[in-house]
Amino acid sequence: MTEEGGLNFCKIYEQAVDAEGFVVFLQKLRNKHGKKPLAIFLDQLPVHRSRIVKEWWTKLNISPVWNVGKFFPTF
């Protein structure tokens, strides 16, 4: 999402995505936005945290923003 354009790049997969497929998405995202600073909001899906994907965060200059895990307060 951007302030100027709202939601502007989204990919819906018909089946589970693997690390290589997610890296392709990240590359397309980077190409769409040139050198602008990017951050992407993610859940804790193992693919998002995989070694291969982690290497690409730096290469593509994209900052992951992680959703917090489930929180169950103890009473």
Side-chain angles (χ1 to χ4, degrees):
M1 294 178 63
T2 65
E3 184 176 355
E4 303 84 25
L7 182 65
N8 62 28
F9 191 74
C10 180
K11 171 73 174 149
I12 298 174
Y13 295 89
E14 296 293 325
Q15 56 192 19
V17 65
D18 59 11
E20 291 80 13
F22 188 62
V23 167
V24 169
F25 170 79
L26 294 174
Q27 290 168 332
K28 289 179 180 179
L29 184 67
R30 172 46 67 206
N31 288 338
K32 179 171 176 57
H33 293 281
K35 295 185 179 190
K36 290 182 183 177
L38 286 178
I40 183 171
F41 185 77
L42 300 160
D43 57 15
Q44 296 291 332
L45 187 70
V47 166
H48 297 158
R49 298 179 286 120
S50 69
R51 180 187 53 79
I52 294 167
V53 172
K54 284 181 182 178
E55 293 171 7
W56 281 94
W57 294 126
T58 302
K59 290 178 186 178
L60 296 172
N61 194 24
I62 298 175
S63 299
V65 177
W66 300 104
N67 190 13
V68 294
K70 292 181 180 178
F71 173 72
F72 297 102
T74 56
F75 296 98

